[in-house]
Amino acid sequence: MSTENTLVIVMKPDASVGQIANVTARVQQIGARVHLSEGEEQTIIGVIGNGSPINCEQIQSLAGVERTVPITRPFKLASREFHPQDTVVPVNGLQVGGRRLTVMAGPCAVESREQILETARIVKAAGGHALRGGAFKPRTSPYSFQGMGEKGLRLLAEARQVTGLPIITEVISPEHVPLVTTYADILQIGARNMQNYALLHAVGAAQRPVMLKRGMMSTIEELLMAAEYILSHGNERVILCERGIRTFEKYTRNTLDISAVPLLKQLSHLPVIVDPSHATGSWELVIPVARAAIAAGADGIIVEVHPNPAEALSDGAQSLKPERFTELMASLDAIATAVGRTL
Amino acid sequence: MSTENTLVIVMKPDASVGQIANVTARVQQIGARVHLSEGEEQTIIGVIGNGSPINCEQIQSLAGVERTVPITRPFKLASREFHPQDTVVPVNGLQVGGRRLTVMAGPCAVESREQILETARIVKAAGGHALRGGAFKPRTSPYSFQGMGEKGLRLLAEARQVTGLPIITEVISPEHVPLVTTYADILQIGARNMQNYALLHAVGAAQRPVMLKRGMMSTIEELLMAAEYILSHGNERVILCERGIRTFEKYTRNTLDISAVPLLKQLSHLPVIVDPSHATGSWELVIPVARAAIAAGADGIIVEVHPNPAEALSDGAQSLKPERFTELMASLDAIATAVGRTL
Amino acid sequence: MSTENTLVIVMKPDASVGQIANVTARVQQIGARVHLSEGEEQTIIGVIGNGSPINCEQIQSLAGVERTVPITRPFKLASREFHPQDTVVPVNGLQVGGRRLTVMAGPCAVESREQILETARIVKAAGGHALRGGAFKPRTSPYSFQGMGEKGLRLLAEARQVTGLPIITEVISPEHVPLVTTYADILQIGARNMQNYALLHAVGAAQRPVMLKRGMMSTIEELLMAAEYILSHGNERVILCERGIRTFEKYTRNTLDISAVPLLKQLSHLPVIVDPSHATGSWELVIPVARAAIAAGADGIIVEVHPNPAEALSDGAQSLKPERFTELMASLDAIATAVGRTL
Amino acid sequence: MSTENTLVIVMKPDASVGQIANVTARVQQIGARVHLSEGEEQTIIGVIGNGSPINCEQIQSLAGVERTVPITRPFKLASREFHPQDTVVPVNGLQVGGRRLTVMAGPCAVESREQILETARIVKAAGGHALRGGAFKPRTSPYSFQGMGEKGLRLLAEARQVTGLPIITEVISPEHVPLVTTYADILQIGARNMQNYALLHAVGAAQRPVMLKRGMMSTIEELLMAAEYILSHGNERVILCERGIRTFEKYTRNTLDISAVPLLKQLSHLPVIVDPSHATGSWELVIPVARAAIAAGADGIIVEVHPNPAEALSDGAQSLKPERFTELMASLDAIATAVGRTL
């Protein structure tokens, strides 16, 4: 893909004429055009690339350079400039990113046949569109429940057969991608793996839509660069997910970055889903935050629902009981209408 | 005010029997009750206070103590437990915190008679409820425009007379409180002054409603503690304002903490206003984020509107043009209905 | 003060020729020179100011502008470019910022005559150079000990008379500046007040050295801008203090930004002091972190010492006992020698 | 491994007697002991486990529970309580974690035979102890240089043969672990992969020392939990690395958490290495920050050195030139002596 790379080089106030000439020569060597702006106190050098990448790090280490300021956004395939129309990702009958919102719901982890089938029925009955459930769980502690593995995947497939709901489940290792692809309708990349590039390559080569969650301390630019990895490996069916970032606030598990929703829609053509359960860590906050997400322009939400949160093997505190999920769906319906969408 | 202060003292695994006895004795000296939980590896001491404050710092420095965990929330007057009903703050004909939402709008700074009168008419015409505008501006640079001072206050008062809109303006120093109180309907405490205790005392003693903005570096608990200062000095008309916190994300000026809205409503009885302009720093994000705020349960918003943002002396990039403000009002109306409120 | 203001304007990829011309005309109106760099995809406009300030916010709100990138650092009087030699602040016989390091020590708050006199003797005996102690305390809770006020100042003065140690104490309100100046050798601006501009004005006009603590969520640039306020009001005796910033890490009270020490020395000519007590919140971490500060090039440290931390009315957990302070002094001596300084 | 799990359950102020009884019963079901502390306003329940893990999430979702506070630290094998003596990791003749400090140095990425051999000779000549160099590079952009792969590993092995320096190199995917183990003396887990559990499992099973870098978004507790994964899979030769965390500060690439050094030494028995190159992103800050690390008690550092930073394919801006590395070694020697270590 040919693209311009534009940057600004800020020279130190005491940079010598020779240093400025040296930097200019270096930039011209790689075929870029140079525009000198000489002030009385400081010289700045505008660089317009010709398609070859410009290595800021190299330039920054040249004598006399104070800093470099990249101008061009580093993502291409993920950017709206590159692809002005909204991308709609087809998922087994569902359209993620269209006028109709997508609600994905289910337990944090698949725990048993009864649990997942019961939850699937609840989700279906309340009007949810897809079933979530983890079979491979990335857990902070090696002593915590790590998921049911392939057995969990089979139970998810059974729940899909019973309810017709497409399923979304997390894949945590490149070697599991073929296995998970066999069962799942959407491959989920979790927040902790947003920059696991080997995994991004693997799902980039897979024949399934991918939902990519923002890392809890990743910038919006890094999220779009991670999407770029998947897109550049040939998979165009990428769904972005905002799930809260890590801040100093302690009352909530994370801080949902609500502005990220309209910003991602502005910068990118990819659909944006919000996860209010992980963002807040508390079921009492899920409904108002889910409403806010839809009001801000999200294409849908993914929430944790458990038939009995007090028995959940993980994340019970942030799971909705069935009746609260039904309440959420009703409540979202009104907001959807208010912003010109449907549920 | 009598209140229990409950905390847990975690002893080090190698704490001696004598150290445990010493800590216990210290706590009992101040009249608190003690509950020992002795495990094989570690002892924890539950402390139930009797109303006297317990100084965690002192206890933490005693030999054998690993850490102390305060259990009781430190705010009282601001807490919903203390005051279960929603507080509605009457402001010159307006009711902040009731079923009807409050939209405060206006320029970042009062710049001229024409500018503030024109903006006031725009706000009024579009259905806004109060006029904002800074006369004393806290600015990062000593070389930036610092506001028109008392002349700006007089212009605000004139705009109120013309339109009937109550006015809200910032006070940045205790010595200015009497002056600003003469003109303003609501005294605003800015984010940078949230922990300026001398100023909190002064507005606590003033006879005006106060809108307290969350510091960009402040936790929700600290915001409620700052409200507690004002309340404890006798002023019960406090309005909280979420305006974004500082995070690592660079595309937006701050990160609006949307979960803070339902959380503050849960923890406190005070009204909650959201400022999408300062939170995002970009007018393009103001409308979707304002919608999200109302959907999450906020009692209103405060936004920047300028008749000509490209001429604004401060914060032009985040100011709405008049026609965009009108669009915002229409858009909020639908969301308000969806959440059972009115505009 | 005449200075160039240099910035780069990045136009949107779809900006029209008319929009580019309009932005250019706007910039030229204020007398700045313009350098256009037109790429195939995007135009960037280099702006070299002529001394008048350029309002980025105004430019950013013009049609077709994607963003503006300020190039010139906004601080002048505080910058090393403006003042290449190190500033040494003379304080009642002491030289802060010279080859000899400065150790300021004492309790968080003055609590009684005995406490402050005993601590002063300990500090003096161990080789400390100045006595710290708060008389006006900014406290998160209105129910916490707020300091002894003027009585505390008188006790500090008595401790100075007895030991010869200069005293540093915090001032929290503009109206207190004359009073505190009567007693103190150094006025301290606390982290919560770093952007209390009314207070910065007041100490800028005072005839005393000022130690300015970095706000817990302030950038290095904002710290230097706050110093600029004081300097621009005529007080050149400013000492900077790094005391830790707020991050997501919970095991420590704050995260000491150790890189800020060499960075501040690079960007500014002002002396830099480090506060390991507030940064860590734990006396066990004070000694290693104090060593690190000196090794990184700090001009000194300010630490909490209390004759009996378990009786301290505030911050006992982070206060050193007398014997630990003596140990610290010995330990710093070796590091000082290793970096070519003396204690 | 049998261990107690201790936690405190804070009941809501309005929790009913039945709810308290229900929570108590649930905890007793799993064999834990319960200590009730009933205040007038609030009940807290101390829970002392019997070795079975207690699922806080489940308890938190029970009716009447306000929150749960875990008391026991979740890491065991990594904790100093479990293993009081310092762990010294033997690496091909080197002892990481003993009295002698370890300096690992080399380029960010292996780029060519000449580059890596020349750097190895520079590192060896200046007294460095190990050679670093990436063959598999995790890069934010899919369009950046991704490393030389196995060819790079072979060049590293050749550099070891020539100089005798052990080599440390990053592994980014579980499937590469056997290959990288064939060549490397220390397997490095990069910051972005700190919670890549599949990878942690793989290196936990490998027969090589592992250096685990703290994620830029990770707490100290999470770093120790990641170490716990490796230790619990049978590999006891784990070295921790602090490399800076992400904060709001923009002048540096990351914020080095200097307090993490003494804190990790306090909480854990594992050696601690500091990476001042990635933490600061600027070669000008590397020397003072490296000094600070040693002064704070680190067991060594890992720095980037490149024969010609202006030609480096990655991270040139933070690489030291050969003469600066020599200067660093001399400068560290003095600090090492000051803290009772040797180089």
Side-chain angles (χ1 to χ4, degrees), chain A residues 43-242:
Chain A
T43 294
I44 63 175
I45 304 175
V47 178
I48 307 282
N50 71 338
S52 319
I54 299 172
N55 189 324
C56 290
E57 288 277 343
Q58 286 184 349
I59 289 169
Q60 207 161 331
S61 66
L62 293 173
V65 173
E66 186 178 295
R67 65 206 147 105
T68 58
V69 182
I71 298 299
T72 314
R73 303 264 191 234
F75 44 89
K76 304 292 164 197
L77 301 173
S79 96
R80 194 171 276 281
E81 288 164 22
F82 179 86
H83 185 304
Q85 279 75 40
D86 280 352
T87 284
V88 176
V89 176
V91 179
N92 201 355
L94 220 63
Q95 304 283 328
V96 181
R99 191 168 171 275
R100 198 173 171 206
L101 301 172
T102 305
V103 176
M104 310 177 186
C108 178
V110 182
E111 295 166 2
S112 70
R113 189 165 179 275
E114 294 64 36
Q115 172 242 25
I116 193 68
L117 289 182
E118 185 181 349
T119 310
R121 283 190 204 101
I122 291 161
V123 170
K124 178 73 178 178
H129 310 107
L131 179 68
R132 60 156 290 162
F136 295 95
K137 301 298 303 171
R139 300 299 301 273
T140 312
S141 168
Y143 313 123
S144 297
F145 173 58
Q146 312 278 320
M148 294 180 77
E150 187 171 1
K151 196 175 166 199
L153 295 175
R154 280 197 301 266
L155 294 175
L156 283 168
E158 186 180 345
R160 172 176 50 200
Q161 205 178 10
V162 172
T163 59
L165 294 171
I167 58 181
I168 173 170
T169 196
E170 184 167 355
V171 56
I172 61 173
S173 177
E175 64 186 356
H176 291 155
V177 171
L179 174 70
V180 179
T181 301
T182 312
Y183 293 96
D185 298 291
I186 306 177
L187 304 175
Q188 178 180 314
I189 301 294
R192 290 185 184 84
N193 282 315
M194 194 201 86
Q195 293 189 316
N196 180 339
Y197 299 118
L199 185 57
L200 297 181
H201 286 205
V203 299
Q207 300 303 312
R208 277 287 176 282
V210 175
M211 189 174 82
L212 176 66
K213 296 188 108 175
R214 180 180 182 184
M216 72 182 90
M217 209 134 181
S218 299
T219 62
I220 287 172
E221 188 166 297
E222 287 168 342
L223 170 60
L224 290 171
M225 288 307 291
E228 191 84 7
Y229 259 90
I230 303 174
L231 295 165
S232 71
H233 282 77
N235 191 340
E236 296 178 6
R237 291 177 288 169
V238 177
I239 301 161
L240 304 172
C241 180
E242 163 63 36

Side-chain angles (χ1 to χ4, degrees), chain A residues 3-4 10 13 33 35-41 44 48 66-67 69 71 73 81 217 246 248, chain C residues 3-4 6 10 13 33 35-41 44 48 66-67 69 71 73 81 217 246 248:
Chain A
T3 180
E4 289 184 343
V10 182
R33 278 179 299 133
H35 293 257
L36 270 192
S37 303
E38 289 177 54
E40 273 171 56
E41 295 178 5
I44 63 175
I48 307 282
E66 186 178 295
R67 65 206 147 105
V69 182
I71 298 299
R73 303 264 191 234
E81 288 164 22
M217 209 134 181
R246 186 164 270 187
F248 58 84
Chain C
T3 178
E4 289 184 343
T6 304
V10 182
R33 278 181 298 134
H35 293 256
L36 270 193
S37 303
E38 288 178 55
E40 272 171 55
E41 294 179 5
I44 62 175
I48 307 282
E66 186 178 293
R67 66 204 147 106
V69 182
I71 298 299
R73 305 267 191 228
E81 288 165 22
M217 210 135 180
R246 185 164 270 187
F248 58 84

Side-chain angles (χ1 to χ4, degrees), chain C residues 3 64 102 164 195 217 232 274:
Chain C
T3 178
T102 304
Q195 294 189 316
M217 210 135 180
S232 71
V274 167

